[in-house]
């Protein structure tokens, strides 16, 4: 497996440590963001069904809302841990990207809707994409601790 996590951290220079720290912060905040949406599908499956109907034109039963929530919670947990970085970070970015595209009407006319929170989804998508692109520099992750590169599944 090579050197342990302590050895890898000691071998990093100051800039690498700052980048790794920034990616840890990004991963934890994005993972918490995604976890919140996954848990919401369990707490209020009716709201999840309403959102699916309104934005995606999909009729979603409570069972499907729970299933979607379970997948989202699993991806969020893997994201929080930095586990299987390549597929996890990609799935998180793709899932949020779909949400951004689905809310295009609100994004194109931000001043006709009272809720400006839709605009926040765009920089969040940028953060998900940045985390994916920099996944190999995410040294404070479970994958790094296990000695696995970001390209491993």
């Amino acid at each position: 497996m090579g050197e342990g996590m302590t050895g890898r951290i000691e071998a990093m220079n100051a800039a690498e440590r700052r980048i790794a720290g920034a990616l840890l912060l990004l991963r934890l905040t994005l993972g918490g963001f995604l976890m919140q949406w996954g848990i919401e599908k369990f707490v209020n499956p009716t709201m999840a069904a309403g959102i699916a109907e309104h934005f995606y034109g999909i009729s979603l039963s409570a069972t499907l809302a729970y299933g979607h929530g379970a997948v989202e919670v699993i991806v969020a947990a893997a994201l929080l841990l930095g586990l299987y970085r390549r597929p996890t970070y990609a799935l998180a970015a793709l899932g949020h990207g779909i949400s951004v595209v689905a809310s295009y009407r609100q994004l194109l006319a931000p001043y006709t809707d009272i809720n400006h929170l839709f605009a926040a989804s765009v920089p969040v998508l940028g953060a998900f994409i940045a985390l994916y692109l920099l996944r190999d520099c995410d040294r404070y992750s479970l994958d790094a601790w296990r000695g696995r590169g970001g390209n491993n599944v």
Side-chain angles (χ1 to χ4, degrees):
M1 281 249 189
E3 60 187 46
M5 180 66 132
T6 305
R8 278 194 278 290
I9 291 171
E10 289 172 1
M12 290 192 298
N13 66 36
E16 290 171 329
R17 282 192 297 276
R18 281 193 307 273
I19 291 168
L23 290 171
L24 172 65
L25 180 64
L26 195 57
R27 181 167 42 83
L28 293 177
T29 56
L30 290 172
F33 172 82
L34 189 60
M35 183 68 76
Q36 173 256 315
W37 286 107
I39 290 171
E40 182 179 78
K41 289 170 182 65
F42 290 98
V43 174
N44 195 347
T46 305
M47 181 187 287
I51 290 170
E53 180 70 37
H54 180 74
F55 287 99
Y56 305 102
I58 298 170
S59 179
L60 192 67
S61 68
T63 303
L64 287 175
Y66 292 140
H68 183 219
V71 169
E72 217 164 11
V73 165
I74 290 167
V75 170
L79 184 69
L80 285 166
L81 295 170
L83 184 61
Y84 304 114
R85 289 176 286 183
R86 183 183 185 108
T88 298
Y89 298 6
L91 282 171
L94 179 65
H96 185 66
I98 291 168
S99 295
V100 170
V101 170
S103 64
Y104 75 92
R105 287 183 194 95
Q106 288 75 14
L107 293 171
L108 293 177
Y111 303 108
T112 59
D113 225 345
I114 301 298
N115 191 345
H116 295 299
L117 290 177
F118 290 100
S121 67
V122 177
V124 171
L125 178 58
F128 273 117
I129 293 168
L131 183 62
Y132 176 78
L133 293 173
L134 295 169
R135 67 191 176 278
D136 292 332
C137 299
D138 189 2
R139 302 287 185 229
Y140 301 137
S141 65
L142 191 56
D143 276 356
W145 178 76
R146 296 178 348 169
R148 297 176 61 123
N151 293 325
N152 291 334
V153 175

